[in-house]
Amino acid sequence: PFRLRRLSARAVTYIEVYRISREDLLDLADNYPIATSKIRWAAIKLAICRTMVQVPPLLCPHFCATA
């Protein structure tokens, strides 16, 4: 299972943070086919990386960079 990272965010200046649901994002992206394609590929890569976290690093050292 995927584990959320428990890190603190910091900013040098004032920022605003907004959150949008997956459904709303995809609804908005429907009008922009290139954006929709990029979002879907990013989701695929994220799913693969989340899966690869469970595999020993020696088997996939370059695909998913760990910070």
Side-chain angles (χ1 to χ4, degrees):
F2 177 71
R3 288 170 281 171
L4 295 176
R5 293 182 184 177
R6 303 274 182 212
L7 302 175
S8 298
R10 296 181 189 202
V12 177
T13 60
Y14 174 78
I15 62 168
E16 291 185 25
V17 177
Y18 295 95
R19 183 176 174 165
I20 185 170
S21 70
R22 179 181 187 275
E23 293 80 21
D24 288 341
L25 175 64
L26 293 178
D27 285 343
L28 291 170
D30 281 342
N31 297 324
Y32 304 94
I34 294 172
T36 301
S37 176
K38 289 182 179 185
I39 291 169
R40 294 203 187 276
W41 276 112
I44 290 168
K45 183 177 177 187
L46 181 59
I48 291 170
C49 286
R50 286 177 175 175
T51 301
M52 297 305 272
V53 166
Q54 300 171 6
V55 178
L58 294 175
L59 298 178
C60 60
H62 302 292
F63 186 77
C64 300
T66 56

